[in-house]
Amino acid sequence: MIESKTIAHRFGAALGPENTAATLKRAVELGVRWVEFDASLLKDGTVIVFHDEEFDRCTDKTGLLKDATWDDVSQMDGGSWFSPNFKGEPILELGAALRLLDEVGMNINLEIKVNGAEHVELTERVHQIVAENWSGKSKLLYSSFSHEALVHLRKIDNTTQIGHLFEDLPSDWQAQAEAVKAITIHADVDELSRNDIMSVKAAGYPLYLYTVNDVAQGLGLLDQGVDAVFTDCPDAFKDMSSPAGALL
């Protein structure tokens, strides 16, 4: 379903502080059409655009997301860790991020980031926020490492588009994908063999691999039948082409 050959991972994590509006702006300027990002749950039920289960790596604060409220997060600096040029860059609340993405006409892969036992609450909150803030259902693909989250998402929405996210490919990957009516398979490029790629493609699924930052590797994967790659470096792929056409 993704017409691009690249998806900007965490909005393009090499362009700026990951999952922030500043980095999204740079991706838009590059002509990126698809971005991936993470939706995580706070203690007070707020959903933020953030990957890790703790704040230490990507903010000026420490601690677990599950112990924080939106009031705590709204006071954090989410940019200085990357560069002083991004000092004061805020962490995005999911609804605000979706409105911004919608405004620039972006297509999105929204990962439901389950860090514990919160898959039901997080999935329902994400689905509600998307319904209230996103206009183009066909331009949104959900994914998650949590099979339970995807099962619950399918239970509450029989028409939304789902990609099943794995690290390596388990023996029952197809049964898991069929259980949630997934339309795509996503997996770790370092964990898949050529036979794995062939198996997914033979079963008729588009295959998207993360995280590929080397253009030559990306082109090689496309030649093997991979449909697209997630990359931190959409700028490196911008002017490259393959037999399938421009990567972006």
Side-chain angles (χ1 to χ4, degrees), residues 17-229:
E18 62 189 51
N19 287 328
T20 65
T23 302
L24 175 62
K25 179 181 178 182
R26 291 189 168 192
V28 171
E29 290 169 350
L30 286 169
V32 169
R33 301 310 312 142
W34 276 89
V35 295
E36 181 270 354
F37 62 97
D38 311 278
S40 298
L41 189 68
L42 300 180
K43 178 173 67 174
D44 63 359
T46 304
V47 181
I48 62 172
V49 179
F50 204 82
H51 174 270
D52 297 359
E53 64 181 274
E54 57 187 25
F55 294 107
D56 303 45
R57 182 175 66 88
C58 293
T59 78
D60 60 341
K61 304 297 182 183
T62 62
L64 297 171
L65 272 68
K66 69 181 182 65
D67 296 329
T69 66
W70 175 244
D71 185 59
D72 299 324
V73 172
S74 63
Q75 300 176 55
M76 294 181 183
D77 177 354
S80 292
W81 67 273
F82 185 90
S83 164
N85 295 332
F86 295 98
K87 182 178 180 180
E89 185 66 26
I91 296 169
L92 292 169
E93 181 270 327
L94 178 59
L98 289 169
R99 292 190 296 273
L100 179 59
L101 288 156
D102 211 4
E103 181 180 320
V104 299
M106 193 63 72
N107 303 276
I108 62 177
N109 174 194
L110 194 168
E111 180 182 341
I112 300 172
K113 196 72 179 180
V114 177
N115 292 312
E118 77 279 19
H119 71 272
V120 170
E121 182 182 2
L122 174 57
T123 301
E124 291 184 353
R125 288 286 296 128
V126 168
H127 186 264
Q128 176 187 2
I129 294 166
V130 167
E132 294 171 350
N133 294 279
W134 185 253
S135 65
K137 199 165 189 176
S138 65
K139 296 168 61 178
L140 184 150
L141 176 67
Y142 286 102
S143 66
S144 185
F145 285 107
S146 170
H147 181 69
E148 293 80 8
L150 296 179
V151 167
H152 192 68
L153 177 61
R154 181 56 74 209
K155 180 180 178 181
I156 63 178
D157 189 338
N158 194 44
T159 62
T160 198
Q161 300 176 125
I162 290 177
H164 209 307
L165 182 55
F166 300 102
E167 290 184 11
D168 57 358
L169 206 62
S171 59
D172 65 342
W173 70 267
Q174 190 167 354
Q176 290 191 49
E178 290 173 353
V180 299
K181 299 180 183 177
I183 61 171
T184 61
I185 301 298
H186 308 185
D188 186 341
V189 66
D190 295 324
E191 299 294 334
L192 257 65
S193 67
R194 183 182 292 268
N195 284 340
D196 290 331
I197 292 172
M198 292 173 62
S199 294
V200 173
K201 296 306 299 175
Y205 288 92
L207 176 62
Y208 308 139
L209 298 184
Y210 68 90
T211 305
V212 180
N213 293 329
D214 179 81
V215 173
Q217 181 188 25
L219 291 173
L221 290 165
L222 295 179
D223 287 342
Q224 292 181 53
V226 172
D227 293 272
V229 296

